[in-house]
PDB file of all heavy atoms in Angstrom:
ATOM      1  N   SER A 241     -19.089   4.393  -2.937  1.00 79.00           N
ATOM      2  CA  SER A 241     -18.117   3.970  -4.042  1.00 79.00           C
ATOM      3  C   SER A 241     -18.377   2.507  -4.281  1.00 79.00           C
ATOM      4  O   SER A 241     -18.743   1.680  -3.378  1.00 79.00           O
ATOM      5  CB  SER A 241     -16.721   4.242  -3.659  1.00 79.00           C
ATOM      6  OG  SER A 241     -16.334   3.361  -2.534  1.00 79.00           O
ATOM      7  N   LEU A 242     -18.085   2.109  -5.520  1.00 85.00           N
ATOM      8  CA  LEU A 242     -18.247   0.658  -5.933  1.00 85.00           C
ATOM      9  C   LEU A 242     -17.333  -0.191  -5.052  1.00 85.00           C
ATOM     10  O   LEU A 242     -17.653  -1.321  -4.638  1.00 85.00           O
ATOM     11  CB  LEU A 242     -17.842   0.543  -7.405  1.00 85.00           C
ATOM     12  CG  LEU A 242     -17.995  -0.814  -8.024  1.00 85.00           C
ATOM     13  CD1 LEU A 242     -19.429  -1.422  -7.950  1.00 85.00           C
ATOM     14  CD2 LEU A 242     -17.526  -0.790  -9.488  1.00 85.00           C
ATOM     15  N   ASP A 243     -16.120   0.301  -4.799  1.00 86.00           N
ATOM     16  CA  ASP A 243     -15.205  -0.510  -3.850  1.00 86.00           C
ATOM     17  C   ASP A 243     -15.932  -0.885  -2.620  1.00 86.00           C
ATOM     18  O   ASP A 243     -15.757  -2.013  -2.186  1.00 86.00           O
ATOM     19  CB  ASP A 243     -13.969   0.418  -3.527  1.00 86.00           C
ATOM     20  CG  ASP A 243     -13.085   0.783  -4.720  1.00 86.00           C
ATOM     21  OD1 ASP A 243     -13.594   0.870  -5.780  1.00 86.00           O
ATOM     22  OD2 ASP A 243     -11.909   0.962  -4.504  1.00 86.00           O
ATOM     23  N   ARG A 244     -16.537   0.053  -2.004  1.00 86.00           N
ATOM     24  CA  ARG A 244     -17.155  -0.212  -0.707  1.00 86.00           C
ATOM     25  C   ARG A 244     -18.271  -1.275  -0.828  1.00 86.00           C
ATOM     26  O   ARG A 244     -18.273  -2.180  -0.019  1.00 86.00           O
ATOM     27  CB  ARG A 244     -17.734   1.130  -0.157  1.00 86.00           C
ATOM     28  CG  ARG A 244     -17.906   1.073   1.356  1.00 86.00           C
ATOM     29  CD  ARG A 244     -18.465   2.388   1.742  1.00 86.00           C
ATOM     30  NE  ARG A 244     -17.456   3.503   1.555  1.00 86.00           N
ATOM     31  CZ  ARG A 244     -17.147   4.230   2.515  1.00 86.00           C
ATOM     32  NH1 ARG A 244     -17.515   4.087   3.706  1.00 86.00           N
ATOM     33  NH2 ARG A 244     -16.243   5.217   2.241  1.00 86.00           N
ATOM     34  N   ILE A 245     -19.007  -1.194  -1.869  1.00 89.00           N
ATOM     35  CA  ILE A 245     -20.057  -2.082  -2.071  1.00 89.00           C
ATOM     36  C   ILE A 245     -19.525  -3.558  -2.323  1.00 89.00           C
ATOM     37  O   ILE A 245     -19.988  -4.541  -1.768  1.00 89.00           O
ATOM     38  CB  ILE A 245     -20.980  -1.711  -3.247  1.00 89.00           C
ATOM     39  CG1 ILE A 245     -21.673  -0.335  -2.943  1.00 89.00           C
ATOM     40  CG2 ILE A 245     -22.051  -2.731  -3.599  1.00 89.00           C
ATOM     41  CD1 ILE A 245     -22.273   0.332  -4.046  1.00 89.00           C
ATOM     42  N   ILE A 246     -18.542  -3.620  -3.161  1.00 90.00           N
ATOM     43  CA  ILE A 246     -17.868  -4.938  -3.381  1.00 90.00           C
ATOM     44  C   ILE A 246     -17.364  -5.521  -2.065  1.00 90.00           C
ATOM     45  O   ILE A 246     -17.488  -6.732  -1.798  1.00 90.00           O
ATOM     46  CB  ILE A 246     -16.768  -4.818  -4.433  1.00 90.00           C
ATOM     47  CG1 ILE A 246     -17.323  -4.325  -5.774  1.00 90.00           C
ATOM     48  CG2 ILE A 246     -16.035  -6.166  -4.632  1.00 90.00           C
ATOM     49  CD1 ILE A 246     -16.243  -3.984  -6.877  1.00 90.00           C
ATOM     50  N   LYS A 247     -16.709  -4.733  -1.316  1.00 88.00           N
ATOM     51  CA  LYS A 247     -16.127  -5.135  -0.033  1.00 88.00           C
ATOM     52  C   LYS A 247     -17.156  -5.784   0.871  1.00 88.00           C
ATOM     53  O   LYS A 247     -16.997  -6.831   1.405  1.00 88.00           O
ATOM     54  CB  LYS A 247     -15.396  -3.959   0.726  1.00 88.00           C
ATOM     55  CG  LYS A 247     -13.956  -4.248   0.722  1.00 88.00           C
ATOM     56  CD  LYS A 247     -13.245  -3.178   1.523  1.00 88.00           C
ATOM     57  CE  LYS A 247     -11.776  -3.099   1.003  1.00 88.00           C
ATOM     58  NZ  LYS A 247     -10.978  -2.079   1.692  1.00 88.00           N
ATOM     59  N   VAL A 248     -18.331  -5.130   0.970  1.00 89.00           N
ATOM     60  CA  VAL A 248     -19.346  -5.574   1.830  1.00 89.00           C
ATOM     61  C   VAL A 248     -19.905  -6.864   1.335  1.00 89.00           C
ATOM     62  O   VAL A 248     -20.150  -7.858   2.076  1.00 89.00           O
ATOM     63  CB  VAL A 248     -20.479  -4.493   1.930  1.00 89.00           C
ATOM     64  CG1 VAL A 248     -21.718  -4.997   2.692  1.00 89.00           C
ATOM     65  CG2 VAL A 248     -19.995  -3.246   2.621  1.00 89.00           C
ATOM     66  N   LYS A 249     -20.090  -6.966   0.073  1.00 91.00           N
ATOM     67  CA  LYS A 249     -20.620  -8.186  -0.523  1.00 91.00           C
ATOM     68  C   LYS A 249     -19.663  -9.373  -0.326  1.00 91.00           C
ATOM     69  O   LYS A 249     -20.104 -10.460   0.017  1.00 91.00           O
ATOM     70  CB  LYS A 249     -20.880  -8.020  -2.066  1.00 91.00           C
ATOM     71  CG  LYS A 249     -22.047  -7.136  -2.328  1.00 91.00           C
ATOM     72  CD  LYS A 249     -23.338  -7.787  -1.960  1.00 91.00           C
ATOM     73  CE  LYS A 249     -24.437  -6.715  -1.850  1.00 91.00           C
ATOM     74  NZ  LYS A 249     -25.527  -7.072  -0.880  1.00 91.00           N
ATOM     75  N   TYR A 250     -18.393  -9.114  -0.538  1.00 91.00           N
ATOM     76  CA  TYR A 250     -17.412 -10.205  -0.288  1.00 91.00           C
ATOM     77  C   TYR A 250     -17.366 -10.601   1.118  1.00 91.00           C
ATOM     78  O   TYR A 250     -17.071 -11.745   1.414  1.00 91.00           O
ATOM     79  CB  TYR A 250     -16.050  -9.842  -0.865  1.00 91.00           C
ATOM     80  CG  TYR A 250     -15.795 -10.306  -2.225  1.00 91.00           C
ATOM     81  CD1 TYR A 250     -15.860  -9.480  -3.357  1.00 91.00           C
ATOM     82  CD2 TYR A 250     -15.661 -11.705  -2.514  1.00 91.00           C
ATOM     83  CE1 TYR A 250     -15.709  -9.937  -4.605  1.00 91.00           C
ATOM     84  CE2 TYR A 250     -15.517 -12.133  -3.802  1.00 91.00           C
ATOM     85  CZ  TYR A 250     -15.555 -11.283  -4.857  1.00 91.00           C
ATOM     86  OH  TYR A 250     -15.375 -11.718  -6.069  1.00 91.00           O
ATOM     87  N   PHE A 251     -17.586  -9.664   2.008  1.00 91.00           N
ATOM     88  CA  PHE A 251     -17.541  -9.954   3.448  1.00 91.00           C
ATOM     89  C   PHE A 251     -18.617 -10.931   3.778  1.00 91.00           C
ATOM     90  O   PHE A 251     -18.472 -11.955   4.457  1.00 91.00           O
ATOM     91  CB  PHE A 251     -17.801  -8.679   4.238  1.00 91.00           C
ATOM     92  CG  PHE A 251     -17.721  -8.842   5.714  1.00 91.00           C
ATOM     93  CD1 PHE A 251     -16.545  -8.925   6.425  1.00 91.00           C
ATOM     94  CD2 PHE A 251     -18.888  -8.960   6.501  1.00 91.00           C
ATOM     95  CE1 PHE A 251     -16.476  -9.129   7.771  1.00 91.00           C
ATOM     96  CE2 PHE A 251     -18.883  -9.158   7.848  1.00 91.00           C
ATOM     97  CZ  PHE A 251     -17.636  -9.292   8.492  1.00 91.00           C
ATOM     98  N   GLU A 252     -19.842 -10.778   3.148  1.00 94.00           N
ATOM     99  CA  GLU A 252     -20.958 -11.678   3.375  1.00 94.00           C
ATOM    100  C   GLU A 252     -20.617 -13.022   2.760  1.00 94.00           C
ATOM    101  O   GLU A 252     -20.952 -14.092   3.420  1.00 94.00           O
ATOM    102  CB  GLU A 252     -22.160 -11.141   2.704  1.00 94.00           C
ATOM    103  CG  GLU A 252     -22.775  -9.884   3.338  1.00 94.00           C
ATOM    104  CD  GLU A 252     -23.776  -9.087   2.552  1.00 94.00           C
ATOM    105  OE1 GLU A 252     -24.264  -9.665   1.473  1.00 94.00           O
ATOM    106  OE2 GLU A 252     -24.130  -8.024   2.915  1.00 94.00           O
TER     107      GLU A 252
END
Side-chain angles (χ1 to χ4, degrees):
S241 71
L242 180 59
D243 292 29
R244 204 179 291 237
I245 295 165
I246 297 172
K247 246 184 205 179
V248 171
K249 289 293 163 206
Y250 265 107
F251 182 81
E252 289 166 11

